[in-house]
């Protein structure tokens, strides 16, 4: 029996993601992994998978897969969307079974951007440097899914799920991201403009970074900054003055000043913002 799914539609972008490659930034390899790590962990908890098991990250819906020879248990988390199995509504954030030959279809989410199709046993293409994550910046890991691809499904753990549904997040409305100043907050003329300004997500955003429009932060120094290590959640200011919030596939170094860092607990929420969505920042003290 074959535990696998065949891809019939991908939507705008569908990627295999786990929790990424840790401990390799010193040799120039970014972590990557799910843009919304909490959503991935939630799907894996619902299915009794290890928390690092890989799932399919679907950007703005449109994913369609067919189950091959052996049925699978699934759960869709992240941005809530319509989920159908052979035309039957099963809903997101609920555990469901798909028989052999069944087609699973994810609709467009009403709010939020990224939904996660988790499968009991995890999707299991070959690992690259210890991870199944697809890094769109470096090209490491499985390439973006295409029609006709076959996704192997791993062997389920011995334990069984103890829930049949999980809580869907509220992804509507303006988002306020908590941020810590620095380390290069003195490299812009007025770093407090970051929290005083209402921003909007631009269409130039992706898994590498969320680019913001609405204001330009003016440089305070006519100098170049040597490349420094970068972190998910860093708010970098390029010469345009429009901030960029680094997301899952950010580079491991950057040459523009990082004027703030969004607290890690809020970065997953940032990854669910769509182009045009409003967002604000609020200063907090470093723990």
């Amino acid at each position: 029996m074959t535990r696998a799914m065949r891809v019939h539609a991908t939507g705008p972008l569908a990627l295999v993601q786990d929790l990424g490659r840790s401990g390799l930034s010193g040799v120039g390899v970014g972590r990557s992994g799910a843009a919304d790590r909490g959503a991935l962990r939630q799907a894996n908890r619902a299915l009794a998978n290890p928390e690092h098991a890989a799932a399919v990250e679907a950007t703005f819906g449109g994913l369609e897969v067919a189950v091959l020879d052996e049925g699978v248990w699934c759960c869709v988390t992240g941005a809530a969307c319509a989920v159908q199995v052979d035309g039957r509504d099963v809903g997101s954030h609920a555990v469901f079974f798909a028989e052999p030959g069944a087609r699973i279809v994810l609709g467009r989410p009403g709010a939020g951007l990224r939904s996660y199709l988790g499968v009991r046993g995890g999707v299991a293409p070959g690992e690259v440097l210890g991870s199944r994550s697809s890094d769109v910046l470096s090209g490491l890991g499985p390439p973006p899914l295409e029609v006709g691809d076959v996704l192997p499904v791993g062997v389920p753990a011995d334990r069984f799920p103890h829930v049949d549904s999980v809580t869907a997040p509220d992804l509507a409305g303006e988002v306020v991201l908590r941020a810590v100043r620095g380390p290069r907050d003195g490299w812009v003329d007025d770093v407090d403009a970051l929290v005083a300004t209402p921003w909007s997500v631009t269409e130039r955003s992706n898994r590498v970074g969320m680019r913001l429009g609405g204001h330009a932060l003016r440089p305070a120094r006519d100098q170049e900054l040597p490349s420094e290590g970068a972190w998910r959640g860093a708010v970098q200011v390029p010469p345009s003055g429009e901030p960029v919030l680094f997301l899952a596939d950010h580079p491991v170094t950057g040459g523009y000043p990082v004027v703030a860092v969004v607290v890690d607990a809020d970065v997953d929420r940032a990854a669910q913002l769509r182009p045009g969505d409003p967002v604000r920042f609020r200063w907090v003290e470093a723990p």
Side-chain angles (χ1 to χ4, degrees), residues 222-241:
D222 185 18
Q223 296 175 258
E224 291 187 359
L225 184 69
S227 291
E228 298 179 307
W231 189 256
R232 187 189 298 218
V235 180
Q236 180 179 257
V237 182
S240 68

Side-chain angles (χ1 to χ4, degrees), residues 36-260:
D36 185 341
R37 296 157 295 178
L40 176 71
R41 289 187 171 105
Q42 188 181 47
N44 283 328
R45 284 196 301 272
L47 296 164
N49 287 336
E51 72 165 7
H52 56 77
V56 179
E57 179 182 277
T59 300
F60 205 48
L63 178 69
E64 181 177 346
V65 298
V67 179
L68 296 184
D69 297 342
E70 185 174 342
V72 291
W73 289 95
C74 303
C75 184
V76 174
T77 58
C81 61
V83 182
Q84 293 187 333
V85 178
D86 285 341
R88 174 176 58 90
D89 291 326
V90 297
S92 67
H93 297 83
V95 177
F96 62 90
F97 186 74
E99 300 278 354
R103 289 205 181 193
I104 304 168
V105 179
L106 274 60
R108 291 182 176 180
L113 184 63
R114 296 178 169 97
S115 305
Y116 293 81
L117 173 61
V119 184
R120 182 161 159 75
V123 295
E127 293 186 351
V128 177
L129 296 178
S131 170
R132 296 186 169 95
S133 282
S134 175
D135 187 328
V136 301
L137 181 63
S138 69
L140 284 174
L145 296 181
E146 296 182 351
V147 174
D149 286 349
V150 174
L151 280 174
V153 174
V155 178
D158 292 336
R159 61 195 184 96
F160 289 88
H162 294 294
V163 297
D164 57 11
S165 64
V166 290
T167 302
D170 180 5
L171 300 179
E174 184 181 67
V175 172
V176 179
L177 303 176
R178 295 168 293 170
V180 176
R181 293 173 184 263
R184 301 294 180 187
D185 51 321
W187 282 66
V188 294
D189 191 48
D190 181 12
V191 72
D192 287 324
L194 184 70
V195 298
T197 301
W199 303 95
S200 62
V201 180
T202 76
E203 70 281 356
R204 293 174 291 121
S205 301
N206 54 29
R207 279 178 47 90
V208 177
M210 186 174 74
R211 290 160 175 81
L212 302 174
H215 186 69
L217 300 179
R218 298 186 302 273
R221 305 185 187 191
D222 185 18
Q223 296 175 258
E224 291 187 359
L225 184 69
S227 291
E228 298 179 307
W231 189 256
R232 187 189 298 218
V235 180
Q236 180 179 257
V237 182
S240 68
E242 294 184 325
V244 179
L245 171 58
F246 280 163
L247 298 178
D249 291 348
H250 67 84
V252 295
T253 62
Y256 302 131
V258 171
V259 301

